[in-house]
Amino acid sequence: MSLSLVNAELFKVRTTSIWWVLGIVLVPLYAASVLVNWAQFAAGQPDEGLSDTQSAQIEAALEPVNVATTLYTSGQFFGVLIVVLLGAIIVTSEFFHLTATTTFLTTPRRESVILAKFGAAVVIGLLVWLITTVLNLIVVPLIMNQLDVPAQLGTAAVWRAIGLNALAFGLWAILGVGVGVLIRSQIAATLVLAITYVVGTQAIGLIFFLLSEWVAEWFNKLQVIVPTTASQLMISGTELPGNPPRWVGAAVLIGYAAVTGVLGTLITKRRDIS
Amino acid sequence: MSTDEIVVEHLTKQYKRLRAVDDLSFSVRAGRVTGFLGPNGAGKTTTLRMLLGLVTPTAGQATFGGTRYAELADPIKHVGAVLEASSAHRGRTGRNHLRMICRAAGLPDSRADEVLTIVGLTPAANRKFKGYSLGMRQRLGIAAALLGDPRVLILDEPANGLDPEGIRWMRDLLKALAAEGRTVLVSSHLLGEMQLLADDVVIVAAGKLIRQGPVDDVLGTMGTGAHVRVRTPQPAELKAALSELNATATEQTDGSLMVVGAEAAAIGHAAFAASVELHELATERGDLEQVFLQLTAGKAGIR
Ligand SMILES: Nc1ncnc2c1ncn2[C@@H]1O[C@H](COP(=O)(O)OP(=O)(O)OP(=O)(O)O)[C@@H](O)[C@H]1O
Ligand SMILES: [Mg+2]
C-alpha cells in the first residue's frame, strides 16, 4: 500500500465538509451512549421470571469488570456507525461527484486506489476510536465512582476490551469501504448500511430468537454471525454465559471485512469507468 | 516505437446491443495537433476512455507506442487528459482538487498553483467547484491535465463552454504544446475551430474509421482543396481567359466563380491581360465542415 495514496485519500476527506458534518452528528450520539450505559448500570439488579441463561447473563454483565469494559468502550455503537458510513462514502462519492475518472487516471492500478481507501478508512476509524476512548477515560472513572464500582484502570480485561474496540473500529471501516464498492450509489449504500446496522441488528436478533425458541436452541449461538453482535461480543470483559468465546466475534468481523474487501477490489478492477 | 505516439489497433467495444467502436485503427503522431472528429455517438469518447484504461476494450488495443496506459511508469507525467465528464467534488476548491492529484501522483503542491496560473484560474482557486462556470470547470480540467507536464495530451471537447477569448487561448496553448514536440489529440464538433487548430484529422462515424490524414490531404481528396474565389461582372470573358491556364471555373449559387487549378496571382494576371474587371479575388482553403458532412453523410444520427 502506498502511503502517498493513503495520504491523498485522507486529503480528499479533509478537503470536503463530510468529516465535520459526521463529527458533529457523533457528539450527541456519543453523549447519549454514555448516559444510557450509566443509566443501565444504575438501574441495578435483574427482574424476576427470566430464563436461567438470561439471568446468568445479566448477572455476569453486572460484574464490575463487565460494567467497566462496557463503560470504557462507550460510543462504539454510534462511532462505528459513523465510521462505516464514512468508509462507504469515501468510495461512493467518487462516483456521485464523477471524480472516479480523475482518480483512476492519476492511479490506473485500481487495486492500489481501493487499498489506499481501506487504509484511509482504517486511519479514520482509529481516530474516532482514539477520541471516544480518551473521552471515556476522562468521564467513566467519575461514573464508576458514582456507581460505587472501582475504576479498574489497572485491570487487564479493561485494556483488552479497549484494544479489541480499536480492532472493531478498524474492521468496520474496511467493511464500510467494501460495501461502498459493492453498492456504488451513494444514497443506496448509506441507507442500506445505516438501516441494516441500526434496525437489522434488532430484526435479525428477533429472527434468531424465534428460530431458537421454535426450531432449535443452537440457533441462538449463530447470532454471532450478525456483524454488530460479533463486535459487541468481541469487547465483552469476561466470557458471558451462553455466548461463544470472544475470538469468534473477531473472526466473524475479520471474515466480513475480508470478503467485502476482496470482492470490492475485484469488482472495481473490472468495472468500466464512464 | 515511441511512447509519445498513440496507436489504436482493431479497437472494438461492444455494449449490450450496440457496437460503440468497431474495429477502429489509427495512429496519432507527436509534434502535431490531431483533430478527432465524428458525429454524436460515433464512439470518440469511448475510444479515448479505452486509450486511458478507464473502459476495457472488447477486442483490439489502444496504446502509447505499444504500452498500455496502466503500464506507463508515471502515467500522469506522461499523459494528460481532459475528458467530457471530468469533474470535481462540488464542495472542494479548485486548488484542493489539483493538490489532491499532486499528492496521489507524488508531485509537489506548488505545481497546483503553477497550472492555475497557466489556465488563468488563480483568482478562483479558493472557491468551491460548485460555484464555477462551465468555462472555469473546463479550465480546471485543462489545469489538471497539465499538472504532470505530460508528453501526450488528450482532450475530449475541451472547447465546450469556453468564451471566444478562451477558445483562442486554448488554440494557442495546444499549438504551442505541439510545437514543443508533444502529441495532442483533440476531439471536437467545432469544425471551423478544428480547421484553424488541427494539422491532422481522424474522422470516425458509427464506430468506424472514415478517413485519417493531414487536413489538407483530406480536404484535397474531396475536391474542395485550395481554390480561388473570383467575382466579376464578365464571367464569360474570364472563363475564356482561364481556360488558357488550364484552370476550371465553376459558377457558385451566390454568383461568384470557384477557380481550381490556378494561383490567385495567375488569375489576376490573366484577367488584367484580357481586360476583365474583378470585384473579388481571394484564395480559400477547403472547408472542413463541408468535407466532414460529405464523409459522414448517412452515417451520422444517434444509434
Ligand atoms: N456505458 C455504456 N453503455 C451502453 N452504451 C454506451 C455506453 N457508453 C457509450 N455508449 C454508446 O456508445 C456510443 C458511442 O458513444 P460515445 O460517447 O463514445 O460517442 P461520442 O463520439 O463521444 O459522441 P459525442 O460526440 O456525442 O460525445 C453511443 O451510441 C452511446 O450511446
Ligand atoms: Mg463524446
Side-chain angles (χ1 to χ4, degrees):
Chain A
M1 192 190 315
S2 151
L3 280 183
S4 65
L5 285 183
V6 175
N7 178 18
E9 289 300 331
L10 289 170
F11 183 80
K12 288 182 190 175
V13 176
R14 237 173 42 228
T15 50
T16 56
S17 51
I18 188 72
W19 71 269
W20 60 260
V21 169
L22 289 180
I24 286 175
V25 171
L26 183 58
V27 172
L29 291 178
Y30 166 79
S33 313
V34 175
L35 291 177
V36 166
N37 281 344
W38 183 1
Q40 183 199 333
F41 292 122
Q45 291 305 305
D47 299 335
E48 302 296 315
L50 294 170
S51 78
D52 284 352
T53 328
Q54 275 169 324
S55 50
Q57 266 180 12
I58 290 170
E59 254 168 53
L62 285 175
E63 273 175 38
V65 63
N66 286 331
V67 173
T69 56
T70 306
L71 282 172
Y72 282 117
T73 55
S74 290
Q76 189 208 37
F77 186 79
F78 289 117
V80 160
L81 174 64
I82 296 293
V83 166
V84 86
L85 288 181
L86 199 64
I89 289 171
I90 287 177
V91 183
T92 54
S93 74
E94 296 265 8
F95 297 99
F96 188 72
H97 293 282
L98 305 177
T99 51
T101 295
T102 301
T103 298
F104 290 129
L105 280 180
T106 313
T107 317
R109 270 174 235 93
R110 297 190 192 170
E111 60 277 19
S112 310
V113 174
I114 299 297
L115 225 56
K117 287 188 187 292
F118 282 130
V122 168
V123 169
I124 293 167
L126 292 182
L127 210 65
V128 176
W129 166 80
L130 189 69
I131 293 167
T132 54
T133 300
V134 167
L135 288 175
N136 285 333
L137 289 174
I138 296 168
V139 176
V140 170
L142 305 174
I143 296 174
M144 305 276 263
N145 188 29
Q146 196 272 338
L147 288 173
D148 275 336
V149 182
Q152 297 170 75
L153 282 173
T155 316
V158 168
W159 289 102
R160 186 183 54 215
I162 290 174
L164 287 171
N165 192 25
L167 180 64
F169 271 95
L171 290 173
W172 277 99
I174 294 178
L175 215 127
V177 174
V179 170
V181 178
L182 296 179
I183 309 173
R184 214 181 345 173
S185 148
Q186 174 125 308
I187 296 159
T190 45
L191 275 181
V192 165
L193 271 177
I195 291 172
T196 38
Y197 185 85
V198 178
V199 185
T201 312
Q202 315 300 327
I204 298 170
L206 184 68
I207 293 170
F208 276 111
F209 173 74
L210 292 176
L211 283 174
S212 64
E213 287 291 294
W214 297 102
V215 185
E217 173 81 23
W218 55 262
F219 269 106
N220 232 344
K221 294 207 168 53
L222 287 184
Q223 279 222 41
V224 72
I225 66 170
V226 182
T228 35
T229 315
S231 58
Q232 269 152 23
L233 172 70
M234 204 166 79
I235 56 171
S236 55
T238 61
E239 308 267 323
L240 298 177
N243 270 344
R246 274 186 299 267
W247 65 264
V248 177
V252 167
L253 268 195
I254 291 173
Y256 278 111
V259 168
T260 51
V262 170
L263 217 59
T265 310
L266 287 180
I267 288 176
T268 309
K269 270 184 79 84
R270 281 191 194 169
R271 201 141 55 182
D272 283 349
I273 309 295
S274 54
Chain B
M1 219 188 303
S2 152
T3 51
D4 286 2
E5 197 175 338
I6 296 171
V7 187
V8 173
E9 296 160 292
H10 303 293
L11 195 65
T12 300
K13 180 68 185 183
Q14 177 78 47
Y15 285 117
K16 271 180 202 94
R17 274 171 294 127
L18 182 94
R19 196 162 273 238
V21 176
D22 193 357
D23 197 29
L24 182 62
S25 301
F26 66 89
S27 59
V28 178
R29 285 196 282 153
R32 300 172 72 86
V33 176
T34 302
F36 191 26
L37 314 178
N40 288 133
K44 302 181 295 295
T45 300
T46 309
T47 302
L48 298 182
R49 285 191 173 268
M50 286 194 276
L51 176 62
L52 293 165
L54 296 167
V55 167
T56 316
T58 311
Q61 57 174 4
T63 60
F64 298 86
T67 310
R68 284 193 293 119
Y69 184 76
E71 286 162 356
L72 292 168
D74 251 325
I76 278 286
K77 292 177 194 155
H78 191 74
V79 181
V82 186
L83 291 176
E84 246 175 355
S86 37
S87 186
H89 192 292
R90 290 173 51 75
R92 195 176 281 130
T93 66
R95 174 179 279 131
N96 279 338
H97 175 72
L98 296 172
R99 286 190 172 170
M100 163 196 108
I101 302 172
C102 287
R103 291 187 181 211
L107 295 165
D109 275 2
S110 59
R111 187 66 194 142
D113 296 319
E114 288 170 26
V115 293
L116 281 168
T117 312
I118 296 177
V119 303
L121 213 51
T122 311
N126 287 333
R127 258 188 272 157
K128 288 186 174 167
F129 184 73
K130 65 180 163 206
Y132 279 18
S133 70
L134 186 55
M136 289 160 81
R137 289 175 184 209
Q138 205 61 266
R139 282 169 195 256
L140 185 65
I142 296 170
L146 294 176
L147 271 178
D149 194 20
R151 296 289 310 154
V152 181
L153 270 140
I154 294 169
L155 305 100
D156 198 2
E157 295 180 38
N160 246 357
L162 288 183
D163 55 22
E165 191 269 327
I167 290 184
R168 152 164 300 164
W169 162 77
M170 201 188 57
R171 186 195 309 149
D172 293 344
L173 175 75
L174 296 183
K175 283 194 166 203
L177 290 168
E180 288 169 21
R182 300 179 210 246
T183 311
V184 181
L185 178 62
V186 198
S187 91
S188 180
H189 290 123
L190 305 176
L191 294 166
E193 172 57 25
M194 270 296 143
Q195 192 157 6
L196 291 175
L197 173 64
D199 303 302
D200 295 335
V201 285
V202 173
I203 301 178
V204 293
K208 293 194 175 75
L209 182 70
I210 300 296
R211 188 66 58 90
Q212 143 157 53
V215 175
D216 290 328
D217 290 5
V218 171
L219 294 176
T221 55
M222 291 306 289
T224 54
H227 59 261
V228 180
R229 182 176 296 274
V230 187
R231 224 177 264 277
T232 171
Q234 303 150 266
E237 283 91 333
L238 183 65
K239 274 186 180 173
L242 287 175
S243 61
E244 283 168 29
L245 289 174
N246 276 333
T248 54
T250 35
E251 217 125 356
Q252 300 299 107
T253 44
D254 64 351
S256 68
L257 292 173
M258 192 179 94
V259 183
V260 181
E263 301 273 310
I267 297 167
H269 184 80
F272 180 70
S275 299
V276 172
E277 184 181 345
L278 293 188
H279 293 168
E280 187 183 340
L281 180 64
T283 305
E284 287 181 349
R285 220 178 156 201
D287 183 14
L288 187 57
E289 178 176 275
Q290 209 182 324
V291 173
F292 176 85
L293 291 175
Q294 279 174 29
L295 284 172
T296 58
K299 290 167 190 138
I302 307 296
R303 289 178 292 159

